[in-house]
Amino acid sequence: MQPITNSLLAFILLAVGIIAVTLILIFLGRRRSPKNQEFFLWAHRIAGYIFAVLYLFICAFMLKKLTSSYTTLTPVNAIHAYIGITIFPLIIAKISIVRLFKQYYQRLSIYGIIIIILTYMTVTLSAGYFTLTTVGSQYTLLYDKGTPVKVNINMGHKVIQQRCSTCHSLERVYASVKTENDWRNYITRIRTKEPAILNDQEALQVLGYLVKNLGIDDTKMDVQIGMKIILGKCHRCHTIERIFTSKKTSADWIKTIELMRSFDPNLLNDSEVRQVNYYLDKVLAGKGTEKRNPLN
């Protein structure tokens, strides 16, 4: 699923949970209104069932995503995952009280409140953060002839899809990561060959999208960027599995990268090499040395 779909499901989960808790609180607080008791009780149960099913669906998808990832979780993602998992035993405890231990029925509202608080924390760490960053990341700031310009990167994405596919596949674009200067030079070369393909505004919008989504900051090393480069380029000559199952030290990986570049000098630029080597050193080199250690 796309991140926007995940976020939408998370917000729906939170909304259903809030409705379920609100209904049970109204039910417990209005015992003098017998006409409304059944309505609030059944509405709460229906909302609870929807919450449980949606929660399990999201958990199953996220578990599959976690097990297929080759990178370690960031601190925020780790906290998000642990809080999300904590909700499961609370749901089981709540269902057990309803079905088996009715003497504790009055405490159900406490479990519901705890569950909704944890759900709120989980959703805000993931969907909330994604939504805020998505809204804020629609624009980026670039410099055009020394003047700061606010650029709409969504428009840049549309221009890429409409114009770049006329000369080559879009995969060629999305498989590359470059520094801002490299992307500027790349766009300049394209406009030199085809002056009519992009006007000045479109060129800035395209540059904004490329720098924001496929840009490299040489002053910062990022394992996610390194992995993205590997997944985007290394499959051209061999399977990706060959990389992730190899047992090599950091020095071995450096030699491997240089060997690959000797076969195809255009495969990786210097910035990409640094990011790939950083990823291999931090992620795969550690795995290789651990497997080689006879004490483990």
Side-chain angles (χ1 to χ4, degrees):
M1 289 189 294
Q2 297 295 323
I4 190 171
T5 305
N6 297 340
S7 299
L8 180 61
L9 289 176
F11 283 124
I12 293 174
L13 179 71
L14 179 61
V16 172
I18 292 174
I19 291 172
V21 170
T22 303
L23 289 170
I24 197 62
L25 290 177
I26 294 174
F27 169 75
L28 294 175
R30 292 189 176 182
R31 290 196 174 278
R32 295 182 181 180
S33 306
K35 293 182 180 180
N36 295 330
Q37 276 189 349
E38 289 299 318
F39 167 77
F40 286 113
L41 181 60
W42 279 104
H44 166 74
R45 287 177 178 173
I46 293 172
Y49 289 138
I50 295 174
F51 180 90
V53 171
L54 189 56
Y55 169 79
L56 291 175
F57 173 78
I58 294 174
C59 281
F61 175 78
M62 290 303 174
L63 183 61
K64 181 180 178 181
K65 185 177 180 180
L66 284 174
T67 54
S68 62
S69 176
Y70 292 100
T71 59
T72 56
L73 292 176
T74 63
V76 173
N77 288 338
I79 294 172
H80 164 72
Y82 282 125
I83 295 176
I85 294 172
T86 304
I87 296 173
F88 180 75
L90 290 173
I91 293 177
I92 297 300
K94 191 171 184 292
I95 294 174
S96 299
I97 290 174
V98 173
R99 299 297 180 185
L100 303 173
F101 307 102
K102 295 185 182 296
Q103 63 269 31
Y104 301 113
Y105 198 84
Q106 292 297 325
R107 302 179 185 178
L108 279 179
S109 58
I110 298 176
Y111 282 90
I113 292 173
I114 294 174
I115 289 173
I116 199 61
I117 290 174
L118 293 177
T119 303
Y120 173 80
M121 294 172 64
T122 306
V123 172
T124 52
L125 281 172
S126 57
Y129 176 78
F130 172 79
T131 302
L132 290 175
T133 53
T134 300
V135 172
S137 63
Q138 183 178 357
Y139 294 91
T140 189
L141 191 66
L142 293 176
Y143 283 88
D144 182 28
K145 300 176 182 178
T147 304
V149 179
K150 197 174 184 180
V151 177
N152 188 321
I153 62 174
N154 289 342
M155 291 301 299
H157 187 206
K158 291 180 180 179
V159 173
I160 289 174
Q161 290 181 316
Q162 294 171 357
R163 307 288 176 82
C164 297
S165 59
T166 59
C167 300
H168 52 72
S169 67
L170 292 178
E171 182 182 357
R172 180 176 172 182
V173 179
Y174 298 135
S176 301
V177 286
K178 306 176 187 290
T179 63
E180 181 177 339
N181 286 334
D182 289 338
W183 279 123
R184 285 182 182 273
N185 294 334
Y186 181 79
I187 293 172
T188 299
R189 289 198 302 270
I190 291 175
R191 297 185 71 191
T192 301
K193 294 179 181 178
E194 295 286 344
I197 195 170
L198 296 172
N199 59 39
D200 292 342
Q201 182 180 8
E202 291 171 335
L204 272 178
Q205 291 170 342
V206 169
L207 177 63
Y209 175 83
L210 294 174
V211 171
K212 186 75 173 181
N213 295 279
L214 300 171
I216 297 177
D217 184 351
D218 266 349
T219 63
K220 299 178 182 178
M221 294 292 105
D222 189 339
V223 293
Q224 296 289 346
I225 293 178
M227 184 179 71
K228 185 174 183 178
I229 297 170
I230 290 173
L231 295 177
K233 294 195 173 184
C234 296
H235 68 86
R236 299 176 186 177
C237 302
H238 52 73
T239 63
I240 296 297
E241 183 182 6
R242 179 176 172 182
I243 300 171
F244 294 114
T245 56
S246 297
K247 302 177 182 179
K248 297 184 180 183
T249 64
S250 297
D252 292 335
W253 280 120
I254 291 174
K255 292 178 182 178
T256 300
I257 296 300
E258 290 306 315
L259 180 62
M260 295 300 101
R261 294 185 78 189
S262 67
F263 292 148
D264 184 359
N266 297 320
L267 179 65
L268 299 170
N269 59 43
D270 292 340
S271 298
E272 290 174 323
V273 168
R274 284 191 287 272
Q275 295 288 349
V276 169
N277 281 332
Y278 181 79
Y279 172 83
L280 295 173
D281 176 57
K282 294 297 181 182
V283 180
L284 297 187
K287 290 183 178 181
T289 53
E290 286 174 6
K291 291 179 180 178
R292 288 181 177 186
N293 191 342
L295 297 178
N296 289 342

